[in-house]
Amino acid sequence: DAGVIQSPRHEVTEMGQEVTLRCKPISGHNSLFWYRQTMMRGLELLIYFNNNVPIDDSGMPEDRFSAKMPNASFSTLKIQPSEPRDSAVYFCASSTHSGTGEQFFGPGTRLTVL
Amino acid sequence: EDQVTQSPEALRLQEGESSSLNCSYTVSGLRGLFWYRQDPGKGPEFLFTLYSAGEEKEKERLKATLTKKESFLHITAPKPEDSATYLCAVQANSGYALNFGKGTSLLVTP
């Protein structure tokens, strides 16, 4: 059974450019999470969707970040415009149980903004 | 505010040398405490969920235990393939986010 799928795995872009990260959750999971991992701050939740609806986006750093989930099998995280401080590894995770219980993580997208 | 502190930050063991990793936490109502393993360049891999004090879970050479203030991940007779970063996270009754510690980086040498 396929796990969480993320693309691209690596993204290098220049400051000011738009970046779109993609995620396909595990089939049958009704909750989706976007996390960001940095050396300084560790893993931090950005946004949580339940049944395709954004429930909590309080972790989104600022208006430059936006996320969508148009259907149960696809989500995007967009940064526009990107800045060097956005450089990090971005993980998507999915879960059953409407957000309670264990979450299963994808391989991540390593973003570098020059 | 929920807090998770893991110690030590890094641990080096000889193959076969058993040890324990610590995860201290404060949370307003614990729904669950989670252990994950993360290899370089990969996403966290789920290991265990513990729900209440006194609970224990085992998987191969790993055993996780939980008290009201901390959790331990015991590694018995580790092998080099156990080298990874081990992450602890808590989930509060009031929420769904996993609040992660910074992790313990484990290196097992032959």
Side-chain angles (χ1 to χ4, degrees), chain B residues 15-59:
Chain B
E15 184 171 3
E17 180 186 1
S18 301
S19 188
S20 296
L21 313 182
N22 177 262
C23 171
S24 297
Y25 66 91
T26 55
V27 63
S28 53
L30 179 71
R31 172 177 285 140
L33 183 140
F34 304 83
W35 282 98
Y36 286 81
R37 168 189 171 132
Q38 187 173 24
D39 292 293
K42 296 190 176 182
E45 176 189 347
F46 170 73
L47 294 173
F48 303 110
T49 308
L50 302 167
Y51 293 103
S52 57
E55 189 174 1
E56 299 181 351
K57 294 240 178 113
E58 286 189 69
K59 180 180 180 179

Side-chain angles (χ1 to χ4, degrees), chain A residues 1 4 8 10 13-15 25 27 33 35 53 70 85 89 92-93 95:
Chain A
D1 188 20
V4 175
H10 302 272
T13 190
E14 292 191 347
M15 184 173 62
S27 177
F33 306 80
Y35 287 87
V53 176
R85 60 193 167 120
V89 182
C92 175
S95 168

Side-chain angles (χ1 to χ4, degrees), chain A:
Chain A
D1 188 20
V4 175
I5 298 171
Q6 291 186 249
S7 65
R9 294 294 315 278
H10 302 272
E11 178 80 32
V12 180
T13 190
E14 292 191 347
M15 184 173 62
Q17 295 299 304
E18 177 179 299
V19 175
T20 300
L21 311 182
R22 296 172 176 81
C23 174
K24 177 179 170 55
I26 294 172
S27 177
H29 283 192
N30 64 348
S31 296
L32 184 139
F33 306 80
W34 283 99
Y35 287 87
R36 179 170 67 177
Q37 187 175 39
T38 61
M39 289 292 291
M40 288 293 294
R41 301 175 67 89
L43 271 162
E44 299 177 294
L45 178 68
L46 299 177
I47 188 168
Y48 158 56
F49 290 88
N50 188 48
N51 293 323
N52 313 336
V53 176
I55 303 299
D56 183 358
D57 65 355
S58 60
M60 297 284 262
E62 46 199 273
D63 292 345
R64 297 185 297 106
F65 285 69
S66 63
K68 294 182 179 179
M69 191 164 186
N71 57 61
S73 59
F74 184 65
S75 177
T76 59
L77 178 67
K78 185 178 294 186
I79 308 172
Q80 165 63 18
S82 58
E83 296 183 2
R85 60 193 167 120
D86 302 331
S87 298
V89 182
Y90 292 80
F91 289 104
C92 175
S94 71
S95 168
T96 56
H97 318 301
S98 293
T100 64
E102 55 269 18
Q103 298 173 14
F104 297 90
F105 284 75
T109 296
R110 179 173 294 278
L111 173 64
T112 302
V113 183
L114 303 175

